[in-house]
Amino acid sequence: MAAVGTWTFSLPAVEKMRALILEGVNSLDCVEKAMSDVENNPETGPYIVGRGGYPNRDGIVQCDAAIMEGHPGRFGAVAALAGVGTPLAVARKVMENSPHSMLVGSGALAFAREQGFSIEDNADMMSEKSSNAYQMFCEEDRSVKAHDTLGLIALDLHGNITVGVSTSGTPFKYPGRVGDSPLPGCGLYADIRAGAAAATGDGDKILCYCPTFHVVQLMKQGFSPAAACHSVIQDIQHQAGKNMFEFGLIAMNMKGEVGVASSVPFPYVVWSQSTNTIHQFQQSPYSP
Ligand code: SD4
């Protein structure tokens, strides 16, 4: 049993996953509950997640989120969804209560309403900080350089693994822009025969490389999570060369072993049942 999250702001989410996993809760519920708390908290919005996240260039907060279980066909996603404080929960409903795997924009919004989510005014999705930043963007064309995504992986007591990701995407993006996060194989991937992986960073670039699918395939071939992550970032760096972008990768195999790689200093948080401690680590940037 184990749990891992991207960036230091995942600490409360990893703590929550630990508590739920030890209660015997399945990994799907663990990831959804832990994610919802962070998504809905305006304080963590500046990390490019959920409520309080930076809006698009029209001033609207539009979120991408996805969830994937290790069992085949268990995937759901939403993209460019406005007005919902817990987009990952909507992604789960797409997986469980619709014949589809991904819904976007106004379609995702209508589905969320149909599923009983309360749709909020955009003003309620904004925080003072995100409103001020948007003001600066409008008046001085001053953008915010940030590419965080909350990625969480949980391996439960029953041997099931789930990965989830959630983000409000690039600050002041074009309306309708979709990043790597909700795309299977790009922002996240899981296969019960091998493990799961999640990505964070510049999604407009990340989605060109399908890195999480690649990591999971390498783990299936017997690579450790660390070796798989290393190999994938090496391959991407080789292709991108001097145009390398901000990119972080977390992975976990079915033994609960964790691997990480990144192109920037990348903090992450891990709980493992074997030591029963939660640790924050900092991954150094990959250098070719
Ligand atoms: C995305 N990887 O949408 C996510 C998060 C991000 O700037 O911050 N982008 O690209």
Side-chain angles (χ1 to χ4, degrees):
M1 279 51 60
V4 59
T6 53
W7 310 106
T8 47
F9 76 95
S10 69
L11 178 62
V14 173
E15 282 169 347
K16 178 126 193 178
M17 289 194 290
R18 169 177 68 172
L20 293 170
I21 290 170
L22 291 174
E23 281 170 26
V25 174
N26 69 65
S27 59
L28 187 64
D29 287 328
C30 293
V31 168
E32 183 193 329
K33 289 189 164 70
M35 188 70 83
S36 295
D37 285 354
V38 180
E39 287 174 317
N40 227 346
N41 179 357
E43 297 289 311
T44 46
Y47 299 111
I48 325 287
V49 176
R51 191 184 300 280
Y54 297 106
N56 65 21
R57 54 179 56 210
D58 288 348
I60 309 294
V61 180
Q62 284 188 327
C63 295
D64 297 343
I67 193 154
M68 188 166 194
E69 278 188 282
H71 295 287
R74 299 283 292 164
F75 174 81
V78 290
L81 172 64
V84 179
T86 56
L88 186 102
V90 183
R92 179 178 177 174
K93 295 286 189 199
V94 172
M95 175 174 83
E96 294 183 330
N97 295 352
S98 88
H100 307 301
S101 290
M102 184 185 297
L103 294 173
V104 308
S106 56
L109 185 76
F111 175 76
R113 188 179 283 121
E114 187 185 298
Q115 292 293 311
F117 288 87
S118 60
I119 309 301
E120 298 180 48
D121 288 344
N122 186 60
D124 296 325
M125 293 295 293
M126 300 283 286
S127 65
E128 199 183 324
K129 192 163 181 179
S130 66
S131 301
N132 291 341
Y134 181 61
Q135 199 69 25
M136 303 259 266
F137 170 75
C138 294
E139 285 166 9
E140 302 167 31
D141 198 17
R142 213 189 295 170
S143 200
V144 173
K145 287 261 168 291
H147 290 296
D148 303 351
T149 298
L150 181 56
L152 300 175
I153 305 174
L155 176 65
D156 67 27
L157 286 166
H158 320 286
N160 293 321
I161 196 161
T162 297
V163 54
V165 291
S166 185
T167 181
S168 51
T170 302
F172 320 125
K173 60 192 177 185
Y174 278 79
R177 176 263 186 192
V178 177
D180 61 308
S181 300
L183 305 179
C186 299
L188 75 171
Y189 200 75
D191 181 334
I192 193 137
R193 297 168 297 176
T200 174
D202 185 349
D204 294 296
K205 306 289 186 319
I206 293 170
L207 63 75
C208 302
Y209 297 93
C210 294
T212 56
F213 180 74
H214 193 176
V215 165
V216 173
Q217 296 314 300
L218 290 175
M219 292 198 294
K220 206 186 291 177
Q221 289 166 27
F223 281 56
S224 69
C229 288
H230 182 84
S231 177
V232 168
I233 200 162
Q234 190 174 35
D235 182 52
I236 294 175
Q237 171 74 65
H238 186 71
Q239 294 180 69
K242 61 179 175 12
N243 296 322
M244 190 60 192
F245 46 89
E246 187 180 325
F247 175 49
L249 199 51
I250 57 171
M252 184 188 291
N253 65 14
M254 298 309 293
K255 290 188 237 167
E257 295 165 340
V258 168
V260 178
S262 68
S263 65
V264 292
F266 178 41
Y268 62 101
V269 182
V270 180
W271 167 69
S272 113
Q273 201 199 16
S274 52
T275 56
N276 200 18
T277 48
I278 291 185
H279 282 297
Q280 293 189 45
F281 298 101
Q282 168 108 342
Q283 178 72 17
S284 303
Y286 170 78
S287 67

